[in-house]
Amino acid sequence: MKTQIPLTRDLLFIGGGHAHALVLRLWGMDPLPGVRITLINPGPTAPYSGMLPGHVAGHYTRDELDIDLVRVARFAGARLIDGAVDGIDLDAKTVSVPGRDPIPWDVASIDIGIHSEMPDLPGFSQHAIGAKPLDRFASEWRSYRKAANAGEIAKEIAIIGGGIAGVELSMAMAHAVPGARVSVLDKADDITGTAAPARLHRAMSDHGVTFHGGVEIDRIEADQIVLDTGQTIPATFTIGAAGARPHPWVAKTKLPLEDGFIRVCPDLSVEGRDDLFGAGDCVLMTETPRPKAGVYAVRSAPILHANLHAALSGKPTKPFKPQGKYLKLISLGGKDALAERGDNALSHPLLWRWKDHIDRKFMRQLTDLRPMDPGPPPRDVAQGVGDEIDHTKPLCAGCGSKVSGTALASALADLPQTGRND
């Protein structure tokens, strides 16, 4: 019979980012008895960023893009709250979600990602959309693509941001909307974040994508972008992909921040806390800063899982040591890719198949979730479980506790007296 362990500690996952999804999978395989788990996310799914360019290009469906957080939470034995956290009280150890009472935690982790909205740019909020959060962008893109390919709207697309994300999206969009006029705009003179800008320029040119470097945007209008020189770039669909911006609610908290990102120690704990952790693009690893890339969120998951176990059971944590260089597989619109590691770059048709294999393997981790054998009684449990289970006392309050006091008194009144007065 499965051992019943009382729940003594609350573990809260704020956000369903890649790191948290993987930690929940690991938790289902190696749980810590005595812990009640809660995941809060605005929606039952979370898009996988690695497959976004392929989805935009039409290579993957939305279902293939999305991580099913309901399935992952069920596997981990967690409850899922559909909502967006908009505040955290570090003193009371609660988080706030609109329309709900404060949600308490003993140990919590934050993995809420970033956004690429540009509210300070005139006209952006009315006429453009950020590439992140991915779910809203993916939905808006599907609607635009359908209308553009049906001839209901001019095929004019602009991407603000000439980094890898903007370049990948530009070619994916050009592939998905044949004949589209696609423009990439950036303050920098050339493509940033790559060791092979010339190769990317050739690939963009093959798709009819125009790069506008060294430009300043004055405002965005419904059908065009106006530069500070007065030049206009036609655009009936404008995307912001320039840099990573933290979510505004984080700035209103007492969390230790740098440029809006949460400062975390080598063990992924938030500076000054041993009960709060963070991972993914929303954090800044103070001792080993790295660019915002999904690879670090994925690689941090096993360490985060181990350290959450440790924090809940009163054991020491261990550091996350991110690699200095990592492999970039850059989508080139069609089923082609460019591989980069450090200063080395290689393009080959087989690279797309490799990237597709890696991405699908990642997603299978979060879909092929089979029930685990409960196994023998646990050795490691959450703090407080030992106090709840006192093996010198009976585990129940007696059979009489299962009926009401009135019924018990009535039944005892009919019994003969024993003569005992105590």
Side-chain angles (χ1 to χ4, degrees):
M1 186 177 76
K2 184 177 179 180
T3 303
Q4 297 296 317
I5 302 295
L7 300 174
T8 63
R9 306 278 276 167
D10 270 305
L11 171 60
L12 180 62
F13 291 96
I14 303 170
H18 300 355
H20 277 179
L22 290 172
V23 170
L24 286 166
R25 172 183 175 270
L26 292 170
W27 202 280
M29 299 169 66
D30 181 24
L32 181 63
V35 178
R36 178 171 64 177
I37 310 171
T38 303
L39 168 64
I40 305 176
N41 190 73
T45 62
Y48 170 46
S49 59
M51 296 173 77
L52 178 65
H55 171 68
V56 169
H59 307 318
Y60 303 118
T61 66
R62 181 59 193 268
D63 286 343
E64 290 176 308
L65 174 73
D66 281 341
I67 298 169
D68 185 346
L69 294 177
V70 175
R71 178 182 294 179
V72 175
R74 184 182 295 119
F75 179 73
R79 60 175 179 166
L80 173 62
I81 295 177
D82 185 351
V85 171
D86 64 0
I88 182 168
D89 188 327
L90 298 178
D91 298 320
K93 297 180 70 168
T94 61
V95 299
S96 57
V97 176
R100 290 182 173 270
D101 291 335
I103 300 169
W105 49 274
D106 294 300
V107 174
S109 181
I110 306 173
D111 182 14
I112 55 174
I114 54 175
H115 75 93
S116 51
E117 302 283 341
M118 304 176 184
D120 297 332
L121 180 59
F124 188 95
S125 299
Q126 297 82 11
H127 307 300
I129 184 172
K132 292 187 177 183
L134 300 182
D135 50 357
R136 179 175 170 234
F137 165 68
S139 177
E140 294 284 341
W141 167 249
R142 286 198 310 276
S143 298
Y144 174 83
R145 178 188 177 186
K146 181 178 179 181
N149 284 333
E152 299 170 0
I153 191 171
K155 297 180 179 181
E156 296 168 341
I157 302 168
I159 298 95
I160 303 172
I164 297 300
V167 167
E168 280 190 302
L169 287 176
S170 72
M171 290 185 281
M173 291 175 169
H175 178 84
V177 183
R181 181 176 179 178
V182 183
S183 303
V184 177
L185 300 86
D186 201 283
K187 293 180 179 180
D189 292 331
D190 205 350
I191 301 171
T192 57
T194 177
R199 294 189 186 191
L200 291 178
H201 276 297
R202 287 196 297 271
M204 292 166 68
S205 179
D206 290 342
H207 284 84
V209 177
T210 303
F211 183 84
H212 301 270
V215 300
E216 292 282 349
I217 297 174
D218 179 72
R219 65 186 183 276
I220 299 174
E221 298 179 351
D223 58 356
Q224 63 183 3
I225 295 177
V226 181
L227 305 182
D228 63 350
T229 60
Q231 179 187 355
T232 60
I233 308 294
T236 55
F237 191 73
T238 300
I239 308 98
R245 292 170 173 79
H247 291 283
W249 70 264
V250 176
K252 301 175 184 178
T253 69
K254 296 180 181 179
L255 291 165
L257 305 177
E258 185 169 328
D259 297 327
F261 297 101
I262 305 167
R263 294 172 60 90
V264 297
C265 303
D267 64 354
L268 302 176
S269 64
V270 174
E271 283 189 344
R273 311 283 305 199
D274 59 7
D275 56 0
L276 185 60
F277 295 77
D281 288 345
C282 68
V283 306
L284 172 69
M285 296 180 285
T286 54
E287 293 192 17
T288 54
R290 294 291 187 270
K292 303 301 180 186
V295 63
Y296 297 115
V298 171
R299 295 288 179 85
S300 71
I303 299 297
L304 180 60
H305 171 251
N307 287 347
L308 291 173
H309 262 250
L312 288 158
S313 54
K315 296 182 178 180
T317 59
K318 55 185 178 181
F320 170 52
K321 299 177 181 179
Q323 70 270 38
K325 296 179 181 179
Y326 66 96
L327 178 68
K328 298 178 186 176
L329 288 170
I330 304 169
S331 297
L332 302 178
K335 293 186 176 181
D336 299 294
L338 174 72
E340 287 190 15
R341 183 176 176 85
D343 296 330
N344 301 310
L346 173 68
S347 58
H348 192 279
L350 290 177
L351 288 174
W352 164 262
R353 293 174 59 182
W354 187 20
K355 175 175 169 52
D356 177 66
H357 169 75
I358 292 172
D359 290 336
R360 290 185 184 276
K361 181 179 178 181
F362 173 84
M363 292 299 287
R364 279 196 300 272
Q365 293 182 82
L366 301 171
T367 54
D368 186 15
L369 301 172
R370 302 174 185 178
M372 303 297 292
D373 184 344
R379 296 177 59 186
D380 292 332
V381 295
Q383 286 182 309
V385 169
D387 297 332
E388 292 288 335
I389 300 178
D390 185 345
H391 295 288
T392 66
K393 300 178 181 178
L395 294 180
C396 70
C399 291
S401 68
K402 298 171 184 165
V403 298
S404 67
T406 302
L408 182 61
S410 176
L412 294 177
D414 295 334
L415 296 177
Q417 298 293 319
T418 62
R420 294 183 60 183
N421 296 320
D422 54 1

